[in-house]
Amino acid sequence: METLKKYKKELRNTVLSQRRSLSSKEKQALDNQLFKTVISVLKKPEWTAGFRQGCFLYTYVSMQDEADTKKLLAWCWENGIKTAVPKVTGSVMEFYEIVSMNCLEPGFMGILEPNSTCPLIPRNESLGFMIVPGTAFGRDGSRIGYGGGFYDKYLEGQTKLFTAGCCYGFQLFSSVPHSSLDVKMDLIITEKEVLEHGIT
């Protein structure tokens, strides 16, 4: 287990260093293309029908050098898609509905989180599409997060959420170090491609 943690930490640090080294111009170009790729998935018939029936788009609120999601949130609101974003309290992460950026305030580690007026989305109550953050992903659906285990704990036992790891191409590997406790993604989306779980 300690060896696994070491490998994860080393890869996490390497990828985060590469991500931080992007110029603002390079990041904007990657974000614009990644946005188009994500939208191409969300516009598929199975998801447009789901969103019309009230499915939520779950996503993180991007900070600093993370793959941008704020443009995606704006697109969802423009198209009548309900959105939910995470809030961490102690060691527990839950998702809350937001309808605009005005619903957010600085929270855990300075990350923008839903304020106290936002309604909690009960777990396993309805179908949803979740954009999952991470530092590195594998083509086999494996994922390395930021080390807190929040998403693995939240997704454990979830049966109604379709998960999509969202990252830049240089964050994608054939596989990344993982254990049986690490939840695999159903889909990996980069600015260049869309990979279904298990497809290399």
Side-chain angles (χ1 to χ4, degrees):
M1 183 62 74
E2 290 303 315
T3 300
L4 178 63
K5 288 182 179 179
K6 179 183 176 182
Y7 287 153
K8 282 186 174 183
K9 184 177 180 179
E10 289 175 351
L11 183 56
R12 182 183 296 118
N13 290 341
T14 297
V15 175
L16 288 179
S17 176
Q18 190 172 357
R19 206 171 70 180
R20 285 192 291 266
S21 71
L22 291 172
S23 68
S24 57
K25 186 176 181 179
E26 289 171 330
K27 185 178 187 305
Q28 184 176 22
L30 288 173
D31 283 335
N32 287 341
Q33 190 55 48
L34 181 56
F35 171 73
K36 292 177 183 177
T37 311
V38 171
I39 296 305
S40 72
V41 174
L42 298 183
K43 283 185 175 180
K44 289 186 175 182
E46 59 267 35
W47 283 109
T48 54
F51 292 133
R52 282 197 302 270
Q53 294 169 13
C55 283
F56 274 84
L57 186 288
Y58 293 71
T59 184
Y60 63 98
V61 181
S62 56
M63 295 287 287
Q64 299 174 345
D65 57 351
E66 285 186 309
D68 179 65
T69 60
K70 293 172 183 174
K71 190 174 180 180
L72 173 62
L73 283 166
W75 179 85
C76 287
W77 298 327
E78 290 170 3
N79 288 273
I81 297 172
K82 296 193 291 186
T83 59
V85 300
K87 180 175 184 175
V88 173
T89 303
S91 61
V92 178
M93 182 178 73
E94 297 288 357
F95 277 77
Y96 296 77
E97 182 176 5
I98 64 168
V99 296
S100 76
M101 295 301 288
N102 293 329
C103 297
L104 302 174
E105 62 184 13
F108 178 72
M109 296 183 67
I111 297 170
L112 291 176
E113 295 184 335
N115 62 36
S116 59
T117 67
C118 300
L120 172 70
I121 307 301
R123 300 189 187 200
N124 265 334
E125 185 172 279
S126 58
L127 295 174
F129 187 107
M130 178 181 280
I131 300 290
V132 182
T135 57
F137 294 89
R139 289 177 174 270
D140 58 354
S142 53
R143 167 185 174 269
I144 294 179
Y146 291 91
F150 291 107
Y151 278 85
D152 290 317
K153 293 172 187 173
Y154 185 85
L155 291 170
E156 184 180 5
Q158 287 278 11
T159 59
K160 295 187 176 182
L161 291 180
F162 186 88
T163 57
C166 194
C167 66
Y168 302 135
F170 62 78
Q171 296 176 261
L172 182 62
F173 301 84
S174 58
S175 184
V176 296
H178 61 281
S179 73
S180 59
L181 299 177
D182 297 318
V183 176
K184 285 194 172 186
M185 302 291 97
D186 297 308
L187 204 68
I188 304 293
I189 305 174
T190 77
E191 76 280 6
K192 298 177 181 178
E193 56 188 329
V194 177
L195 297 167
E196 292 187 21
H197 173 73
I199 294 179
T200 57

